[in-house]
Amino acid sequence: MTPRATYRVQLTKDFPFAAAEAIVPYLADLGISHLYASPITTARASSTHGYDVIDPTRINPELGGENGFRSLVGALRAHDMGIIIDIVPNHMGVAGGENPWWNDVLRLGPGSPFAGYFDIDWTGPLILPILGDPLPDVIAQGDLIVGSGGQPHLLLYGEQTLPLRPDGPLEGDVATIAEAQHYDLVHWRAANDRLNWRRFFSINELAGIRVEDPAVFEATHALYFRLYREGLLDGLRIDHVDGLSDPAGYCRQLRARIDAIRPGAVILVEKILGAEETLSTDWGIEGTSGYDFMRDAMALLHEPAGEEPLASLWAALDPDHADPQTTVRQAKRDMLDWQFEAQLSACVEAFRTLAQSSGQSSIVAWTAPMLRRAVTCLLQAFPVYRTYGDGRSAPPSDEAARLEAWEAAQPHLPPGEGPVVRQILAWLAGDGPGDPDLAAEAVQRFQQLSAPIAAKGVEDTAFYRRAPLLSANEVGSAPEQFAVSPAEFHRRVMDRARNFPGAMLATATHDHKRGEDSRARIAVLSGVPKLWADCIRRWNILADNHSCDMHRADRYQLFQTLLGAWPDEGASPAFAERILAWQQKSLREARLRSSWEEPDRAYEKRAAWLVDHLLADPDFTGDMNRFIVQITPAARTNSLVQTALKFCVPGVPDIYQGCELADLSLVDPDNRRAVDYQRRRALLTARDVDAKLQLIERLLAMRRANPELFSSGNYEPVLVEGPQAGHVLAFTRKHVQLRLTCAVLIRGAEPITALSHLPPATWWQDTLLLLDEPVPAHQIFARDPFLISLDESST
């Protein structure tokens, strides 16, 4: 079953299979073809997301187990719908003693049949960074004891059991027993420097697994193959594909195994593409899960002329983080120094060993510090998550990233050390002296380090340090690309249509930093930077009146966040709680004035104090309300345009749970809150009540009635001429005699905000859309910010 539109649900014990089954009739009425679900395999108890899988061989009993899943699929089939699920091949949850494979490794060490499942360096004991204090202090406090009953174990903090090796001492003092194990219990702060196993990003509770090993691949995928063979699955979405040692090889292997059962499954990957990066077409997949479309659609809505004044406004507040590239480079450097020392050291050592095997005296002479400087400089400069070479060869698509990394790295290299960087880049390209197996290991270590450094450095650090416009700081956004032209947007759409017509198109996900309609509202500021600067001036005065010494850059992010998330009913205690949770995460992720590792609770208290007092200040709330009312027509325009594009351009539109109505959510866990489906059912039945829902229903009905047009119809940009041509994006989709015409108003914030309605004919002047006959833009956009028409075409 080819997907027409997917609907993403976040499964938890509070929203299990039965709850998903209950909304199937509503989704069918809405026009959805496929449910798209978070992982269904057994995760840690009470997991709020499901990506901390502890048993990939069994469907999660907390969600309803296999019977519950079968019942859900039965309901979907009864409504002629399919299902796509997330799978997590990169890592497993290992915290709390719940993972039986990990526990066996702790008990038997390298002798465990599961020892090779995890990416562990067994030259020493497995580092287990789970202590709140140094080991002697933990023992002295009585927090680590020999447990009684059951299999021999240590009991940590009265709740976590740690298995003991069967051939070790079971009697004597606790310290002697602990030190005799296959694992080394250490303080959690030591993880970044001492960890000898690969983890997911910097999360000690998630251990990387070696899915490149055939035995591991089979063990972790057997359930999915069985479910697909039994007709219970229609597709898979691969979580964090760039974490794998060989993403391309993995995807090809998965495709081959799936097709051997039955061709036709959908395979998508979670992949963050750089602004100019293209995905290789030989992976055997339908495409990405849609971050690239989310980035492009938002960049299309940003008014390019707003970039400079907003950047200047920010620079006046925080000159230390004025330049985007400098901010990103420093953030990546901080992550390398603070959170990835162990992985960086292992990568450098791999290149040192490779250099020693080269047989070339000039390369053999390179010291470990020289290699470390080269690797570090490259990782800070790398323009994409990773490359995809194997040490022996590399795909042609990697070349642009290597060249850009070289250009960006040169100004930061020590004199005379350029050859070291060039040689590392050559090894990444599959070219260079030395043992091929050592080259493969070094390249793999570099690539599996560059991906988390990109994610942690950009999305989770730089985007919290520099924020002229928060709608440009989203997962998948390109810091160097504030806006794209209509022509560039067309080019990217046509590339996707040509290479990945079945790719997913997302505007919200379980990982987004702010909801799609929150971003649409914030994006308006790019068109009215002077009005926004006036607001900031007034609101800073109010903050000063409350004697707040919160940093003005943090205030600025708070003001944007309040604007983006401000509900129709205004501020409330519940809204304040959501903002405070966001603010704490924002401050700690930035690691400038607080951090997760060492929270500055005094500063956080002052920041929270400002939130409470602003939301209780009628001068502030009144002014915020007035400004939101002023920009609402433009914000609504952005929201509807974003929606229209998602459902009309080539690809498969995805609705994140609840986002068929206004989505003003914040970063997780706020974006995973329960959805009121009764309200949505009522609105869908009532008709003509909510403009966004009405548009989605209309477009889904159109997609259902004309599936070939949307799945394989060609995409042709429509030429726009005239003074306001830059404010229109238009295209047609054609299949046989059927033609869809779509035109949307973009970057109209300034006139819409000034007039409180769509721009009049006098503003458009003689701007024309060159359709079959030239059509004046003011006629097309007289009532709505979009035109979507379906007709029979004679051409």
Side-chain angles (χ1 to χ4, degrees), residues 274-521:
E276 305 302 329
E277 183 182 10
T278 57
L279 186 63
S280 293
T281 57
D282 60 355
W283 287 18
I285 60 174
E286 271 60 44
T288 75
S289 54
Y291 290 113
D292 44 328
F293 173 80
M294 186 161 72
R295 172 201 64 207
D296 295 344
M298 190 51 55
L300 180 69
L301 296 179
H302 289 154
E303 170 56 65
E307 181 175 14
E308 191 282 325
L310 289 173
S312 296
L313 177 59
W314 172 266
L317 302 171
D318 189 357
D320 291 340
H321 299 95
D323 178 68
Q325 293 308 314
T326 301
T327 301
V328 167
R329 173 176 287 277
Q330 184 59 52
K332 287 184 175 182
R333 179 59 183 260
D334 288 346
M335 291 301 100
L336 279 167
D337 289 346
W338 299 346
Q339 295 193 341
F340 290 89
E341 171 59 34
Q343 202 168 336
L344 173 61
S345 295
C347 179
V348 170
E349 178 59 22
F351 276 111
R352 190 196 68 80
T353 305
L354 172 59
Q356 292 294 309
S357 76
S358 70
Q360 297 185 12
S361 57
S362 59
I363 295 178
V364 171
W366 290 344
T367 65
M370 291 170 66
L371 287 161
R372 183 186 182 92
R373 287 190 291 271
V375 169
T376 299
C377 195
L378 274 177
L379 288 170
Q380 292 174 73
F382 229 66
V384 294
Y385 261 47
R386 60 170 289 167
T387 52
Y388 298 95
D390 60 6
R392 294 172 171 82
S393 63
S397 55
D398 282 357
E399 184 177 6
R402 293 194 304 269
L403 289 173
E404 188 174 343
W406 166 243
E407 292 298 324
Q410 286 184 71
H412 306 279
L413 289 172
E417 294 190 9
V420 186
V421 170
R422 285 198 297 271
Q423 184 56 64
I424 291 175
L425 288 170
W427 278 320
L428 289 176
D431 183 24
D435 184 277
D437 291 336
L438 294 178
E441 180 181 355
V443 167
Q444 176 182 325
R445 287 189 178 276
F446 183 93
Q447 292 174 155
Q448 286 187 298
L449 179 56
S450 70
I453 291 303
K456 292 297 295 181
V458 179
E459 298 162 17
D460 292 343
T461 305
F463 280 171
Y464 287 100
R465 291 182 176 180
R466 181 182 183 274
L469 190 68
L470 283 176
S471 54
N473 286 17
E474 189 51 80
V475 178
S477 293
E480 73 279 14
Q481 196 164 72
F482 181 84
V484 297
S485 67
E488 177 63 14
F489 182 85
H490 283 310
R491 186 190 67 79
R492 295 181 183 184
V493 169
M494 289 188 288
D495 283 348
R496 190 183 302 111
R498 179 173 56 254
N499 297 321
F500 299 101
M504 190 173 279
L505 308 176
T507 45
T509 76
H510 61 285
D511 283 329
H512 68 234
K513 297 188 181 302
R514 50 202 53 85
E516 60 185 54
D517 299 290
S518 176
R519 292 197 312 274
R521 184 187 287 175

Side-chain angles (χ1 to χ4, degrees), residues 9-13 15-17 20 37-40 47-50 63:
V9 292
Q10 192 71 34
L11 297 168
T12 67
K13 69 173 185 176
F15 191 86
F17 296 135
S38 60
I40 64 170
S47 174
T48 60
H49 49 77
L63 303 181

Side-chain angles (χ1 to χ4, degrees), residues 628 658 755 790-791:
I628 289 177
L755 299 168
L790 199 60
D791 59 73

